[in-house]
Amino acid sequence: MEKKGKVYLIGAGPGDPGLLGLKAKECLETADAVVYDRLADPRIIEFCRKDAEMVYVGKASANHTMRQPDINKLLVKLAAEGKTVARLKGGDPFVFGRGGEEAIELLEAGLPFEFVPGVTSAIAVAEYAGIPVTHRHVATSFAVITGHEDPTKGESTINWKGLATAVDTLVFLMGVENIERISSQLIANGRSADCPAAVIRWGTRPEQRTLITTVGKAAADVKATGMKPPAIFLVGEVVKLREQLQWFDNKPLFGKTVIVTRARAQASALTKKLEAQGARVLEVPAIKIVPPADFAPLDKAIAEIDTYKWLILTSVNGVEYFFNRLQKAGKDSRALCGVKIAAIGSATAEALKGYGITADLIPSAYKAEELADALAEDTKAGDKLLLARAKVARNVLPERLRALGAQVDVVAAYETVADCQNKEELLEALESGEASVVTFTSSSTVTNLLDVLGDKKDLLNKVALAAIGPVTAETLEKNGLKPAISAAEYTIDGLMTAIEEYYKE
């Protein structure tokens, strides 16, 4: 029997990927094909299957990559092929999302569909601006109105007379381009020109901007400030409550654009912490973590692991790659029962705990010099030590230990290679002055980013440079760059604290 496809019409919410519903996430994880709009946050797309057919249909204001009738036909085609289809749209499918039109077309083709509601920008964007659409003693009713009516209708079907005076709070979606006409109609039908109003652009995202105005001044203020879509236009006395309820743009890093150069696979931890403090984050990985060209030296060391006195691990990557090879050899943590383990840093030690191991030694300062001093107290001539680390790294640690007469085997557990997929975004952020901070979490992120920038490295003098520790800071200085921010504790949390302190001061 031929498999029958199905279409899930999914609301992606207004922008903040954290507002995506659990059911929406489940649908994306199982869909054979995903048809998505411009307003879907890129991280929402990451929930999709790697082998899913991805179709971008645009749907920006007045600039559609694919016309609505063609989208309808595409959904029918994909479902008729027996595919499970996720139709992902910003906000909610039923709030000016044309979800009903798409469903009717599917119904006429005899194809099943389901709606998966999304958080609508009509309420969420106002909420992120600290403006409730209803509030006791201020507003007991609200209406959501399109600010961009179907141009083929000929004349407006909006009941301006009823809206202007009968509803407390008015929320116009996609209304910025028509704000002059909307304001004029409201005033002509009885709304006071002095009534408070707000225009909120890119609501719920770190780029959110809020313009407080009045109905009478809104059009002129929008023009003067250059506010553009996507934005909502909100009218009502509730706008005054923003003075008390403003919260999102009170975050310590709100309005700051931070460039994260960490490897993409590890960037999310830093990105989440920065966004939690209100920053807009641009991930520009300067490095990528890859396996070494040859695992033979590491595998040989693992085969002889019981001959070593110390196993030294200097990063979370080193821990993960070492234990992956240990398991490939048919061994587990029990193979290390006679070996002492040293870790540089709390993050490395925490990664070890994931394998049931507590580090025997963590230096007080998370750098090679401190670890060498600590190990020297328990190392004598003839001792064998295994250092599993990145292929390219400083030789301070093995040289210091060899000077004591120890045999130090240095093996590559992984490599860092240059990786910059977002060079154009990086240059645009630096050249426009949009970027506030560039973070560096290792010396390799410094050298590789400088390679990417080439003769444009002077652009880094326009932003605050943040180094995770003294070694990374020293690499910046050797390249003629002065770090404005340096973490006291050489961890991601330490780097976050340093950035926050910098802006407090």
Side-chain angles (χ1 to χ4, degrees), residues 310 341-344 358-363 370-371 374-376:
W310 282 95
I341 300 177
I344 289 188
T358 299
D360 296 288
L361 175 61
I362 308 170
E370 295 290 335
L371 182 54
L375 281 168

Side-chain angles (χ1 to χ4, degrees), residues 127-163:
E127 206 160 320
Y128 269 57
I131 302 171
V133 292
T134 65
H135 190 81
R136 197 175 183 193
H137 305 311
V138 179
T140 56
S141 62
F142 74 95
V144 181
I145 313 105
T146 179
H148 189 76
E149 285 189 88
D150 183 349
T152 64
K153 287 196 304 187
E155 60 181 52
S156 175
T157 55
I158 295 174
N159 183 350
W160 290 105
K161 186 169 181 59
L163 275 176

Side-chain angles (χ1 to χ4, degrees), residues 171-194:
V171 184
F172 293 89
L173 303 188
M174 305 165 289
V176 174
E177 291 168 325
N178 297 318
I179 199 165
E180 187 170 359
R181 184 177 65 83
I182 292 168
S183 301
S184 299
Q185 286 282 11
L186 290 174
I187 294 168
N189 285 279
R191 197 80 173 203
S192 168
D194 294 327

Side-chain angles (χ1 to χ4, degrees), residues 252-262 270 274 279-284 426 429-430 433-441 449 459-468 476 482-486 495-496 498-504:
L253 299 181
F254 184 82
K256 306 291 185 289
T257 295
V258 182
I259 294 171
V260 171
T261 59
R262 209 175 187 206
L270 179 54
L274 288 163
R280 174 194 172 215
V281 178
L282 178 60
E283 290 185 358
V284 184
L426 168 68
L430 291 172
E434 213 175 293
S436 312
V437 180
V438 181
T439 64
F440 297 97
T441 54
L449 190 73
L459 288 171
L460 293 176
N461 292 321
K462 298 169 64 177
V463 295
L465 306 181
I468 199 168
L476 282 166
K482 185 171 177 57
I485 303 166
S486 194
L495 184 60
M496 274 298 307
I499 293 170
E500 289 174 35
E501 290 298 324
Y502 175 79
Y503 280 107
K504 276 183 189 172

Side-chain angles (χ1 to χ4, degrees), residues 80 84 129 133-134 170 181 211 240 274 344 347 399 411-412 420 505:
T84 298
V133 292
T134 65
L170 305 175
R181 184 177 65 83
L211 168 67
K240 292 178 181 177
L274 288 163
I344 289 188
E399 286 173 359
V411 296
C420 190
E505 292 167 10

Side-chain angles (χ1 to χ4, degrees), residues 119-358:
V119 175
T120 174
S121 60
I123 297 172
V125 168
E127 206 160 320
Y128 269 57
I131 302 171
V133 292
T134 65
H135 190 81
R136 197 175 183 193
H137 305 311
V138 179
T140 56
S141 62
F142 74 95
V144 181
I145 313 105
T146 179
H148 189 76
E149 285 189 88
D150 183 349
T152 64
K153 287 196 304 187
E155 60 181 52
S156 175
T157 55
I158 295 174
N159 183 350
W160 290 105
K161 186 169 181 59
L163 275 176
T165 56
V167 182
D168 295 320
T169 305
L170 305 175
V171 184
F172 293 89
L173 303 188
M174 305 165 289
V176 174
E177 291 168 325
N178 297 318
I179 199 165
E180 187 170 359
R181 184 177 65 83
I182 292 168
S183 301
S184 299
Q185 286 282 11
L186 290 174
I187 294 168
N189 285 279
R191 197 80 173 203
S192 168
D194 294 327
C195 179
V199 180
I200 309 160
R201 184 170 193 258
W202 281 124
T204 78
R205 295 166 57 117
E207 304 96 305
Q208 177 175 301
R209 294 294 177 269
T210 302
L211 168 67
I212 300 301
T213 181
T214 62
V215 174
K217 295 178 180 176
D221 286 349
V222 163
K223 188 174 181 180
T225 56
M227 289 284 263
K228 299 189 183 311
I232 71 167
F233 178 41
L234 192 147
V235 173
E237 294 298 321
V238 289
V239 171
K240 292 178 181 177
L241 289 164
R242 174 172 158 81
E243 292 177 15
Q244 297 165 269
L245 302 179
Q246 178 178 331
W247 64 276
F248 187 52
D249 30 10
N250 286 347
K251 292 188 173 189
L253 299 181
F254 184 82
K256 306 291 185 289
T257 295
V258 182
I259 294 171
V260 171
T261 59
R262 209 175 187 206
R264 187 173 296 282
Q266 298 173 313
S268 61
L270 179 54
T271 295
K272 284 177 182 176
K273 290 177 185 295
L274 288 163
E275 287 185 338
Q277 297 304 312
R280 174 194 172 215
V281 178
L282 178 60
E283 290 185 358
V284 184
I287 59 171
K288 181 165 64 175
I289 308 301
V290 298
D294 185 9
F295 271 120
L298 177 57
D299 290 343
K300 181 177 182 294
I302 286 172
E304 302 169 355
I305 195 68
D306 57 355
T307 66
Y308 291 98
K309 182 177 181 179
W310 282 95
L311 166 63
I312 306 165
L313 296 162
T314 61
S315 69
V316 172
N317 291 316
V319 172
E320 291 176 355
Y321 274 89
F322 177 85
F323 279 92
N324 282 341
R325 296 311 293 182
L326 188 72
Q327 289 163 2
K328 288 272 187 188
K331 301 180 180 184
D332 58 27
S333 301
R334 289 172 295 180
L336 305 175
C337 63
V339 185
K340 292 183 178 182
I341 300 177
I344 289 188
S346 56
T348 308
E350 196 62 34
L352 277 167
K353 286 181 180 177
Y355 295 94
I357 292 176
T358 299

